[in-house]
Amino acid sequence: MKQLFFLMLMLVSAVASAQKAQEINLWPDGPRTNNGDPEDQAKVWVYLPDAKKATGRAVVCCPGGGYQHLAMQHEGHDWAPFFNGQGIALIVVKYRMPHGNYTVPQEDAEQAIRLVRSHATEWNIDTNDVGIMGFSAGGHLASTVATHSKGKNAPNFQILFYPVISMEQGITHNGSRDNLLGEKPKRKLINEYSNDQHVGKNTPRAFIALAHDDRSVPPANSISYYEALCNHKVPTSLHIYPTGGHGFGIRQSFANHLELMLELRSWLQSF
């Protein structure tokens, strides 16, 4: 029955997401901070559900890639049918790589959130129902925005897949840390971007998913973040699957793909 329900859901989703994405330059007048690479332009792709089915909810999606590249398909564009089928807008962000300037990705993600809210009327979006989603290093970016950003830059909820959370040696993903903060970051910077240290009572609710056998980003990242959220009484749903490794995204080859889709859908309907 679950499989039949899921297949019906995906069929409806595919029809609902037939609309072509709108591509938008995030910084038409030039970015606030230069990352030193003029070829690396920040942009978003906006996938809107049928206006008659729009719930007002939007998800700003940050693909992963170790702050070195971006997995734009299975951690980005391929999610549009799933969200649009539920009346949720999906905004996929091509954020710029830091190249040693750690403020760049966060500036791009915050600009994407502001862009969504500025088009709220046009895109049938509720400004108080804009979430952020991230995968791996994109999960670090999403959790950075969730714990550090304020006002119009702050999301209302967060969805994290196998996220890098800490910048501490032995817990972090070394490539993500080196690409974001440099090979020998100062202690203050390590603390600033270890996002489990910045959870507060106003941190938005979270859905966290990962595999127990992840050898790239230790599960300790997600667990420490979950514990911090719980300690501050932030509503959180943690899902640890027995296998799957790292980087499964929305790929159907992931053994628990069906369960993941149903559990995320259920969570989204819970608030």
Side-chain angles (χ1 to χ4, degrees):
M1 288 297 294
K2 277 189 175 181
Q3 289 181 344
L4 178 60
F5 169 78
F6 180 70
L7 289 173
M8 291 175 63
L9 169 64
M10 292 306 295
L11 179 60
V12 171
S13 298
V15 173
S17 64
Q19 181 178 348
K20 185 177 180 180
Q22 180 182 359
E23 182 178 334
I24 301 175
N25 186 344
L26 262 183
W27 303 101
D29 299 320
R32 181 189 312 164
T33 302
N34 194 329
N35 72 344
D37 183 359
E39 300 300 318
D40 188 11
Q41 299 293 318
K43 60 180 67 177
V44 297
W45 285 265
V46 180
Y47 293 89
L48 299 177
D50 186 291
K52 295 179 181 178
K53 296 183 178 179
T55 62
R57 177 166 289 174
V59 172
V60 173
C61 175
C62 303
Y67 285 122
Q68 183 182 47
H69 63 276
L70 295 176
M72 294 297 295
Q73 289 304 133
H74 72 288
E75 294 179 351
H77 299 294
D78 293 348
W79 282 88
F82 173 79
F83 285 107
N84 285 179
Q86 299 173 72
I88 301 171
L90 180 70
I91 296 84
V92 180
V93 187
K94 178 192 173 296
Y95 56 92
R96 292 169 297 147
M97 299 300 97
H99 297 306
N101 192 329
Y102 52 84
T103 65
V104 166
Q106 185 178 350
E107 287 181 5
D108 289 353
E110 289 180 341
Q111 176 70 354
I113 291 175
R114 289 196 300 273
L115 177 73
V116 171
R117 290 190 167 125
S118 71
H119 287 272
T121 301
E122 176 188 352
W123 295 346
N124 297 307
I125 289 171
D126 180 351
T127 57
N128 294 314
D129 201 4
V130 179
I132 192 163
M133 176 169 72
F135 303 76
S136 193
H140 181 265
L141 175 55
S143 63
T144 298
V145 173
T147 54
H148 290 67
S149 302
K150 308 295 182 184
K152 293 182 179 179
N153 299 328
N156 301 106
F157 58 92
Q158 54 183 317
I159 302 169
L160 308 178
F161 287 81
Y162 37 86
V164 179
I165 294 293
S166 178
M167 290 287 110
E168 295 286 353
Q169 288 282 16
I171 301 176
T172 191
H173 175 252
N174 290 329
S176 297
R177 171 177 143 144
D178 291 351
N179 289 326
L180 182 66
L181 304 182
E183 294 184 359
K184 296 181 179 180
K186 294 182 179 180
R187 166 49 56 183
K188 182 179 180 180
L189 207 54
I190 293 171
N191 292 344
E192 181 65 19
Y193 285 92
S194 292
N195 295 329
D196 52 327
Q197 298 182 28
H198 298 279
V199 173
K201 63 179 182 179
N202 294 321
T203 301
R205 67 178 66 232
F207 177 97
I208 307 170
L210 66 150
H212 172 76
D213 63 349
D214 191 330
R215 299 291 179 261
S216 296
V217 176
N221 284 268
S222 293
I223 293 170
S224 65
Y225 195 59
Y226 172 74
E227 290 178 342
L229 291 163
C230 288
N231 288 339
H232 287 86
K233 296 181 171 54
V234 177
T236 308
S237 185
L238 176 65
H239 303 262
I240 304 178
Y241 301 102
T243 61
H246 187 76
F248 48 81
I250 200 170
R251 288 173 173 156
Q252 293 187 28
S253 57
F254 173 48
N256 293 99
H257 174 76
L258 172 60
E259 290 85 349
L260 172 60
M261 296 294 98
L262 291 173
E263 287 164 356
L264 177 55
R265 183 176 184 272
S266 177
W267 181 79
L268 288 163
Q269 293 177 338
S270 70
F271 63 97

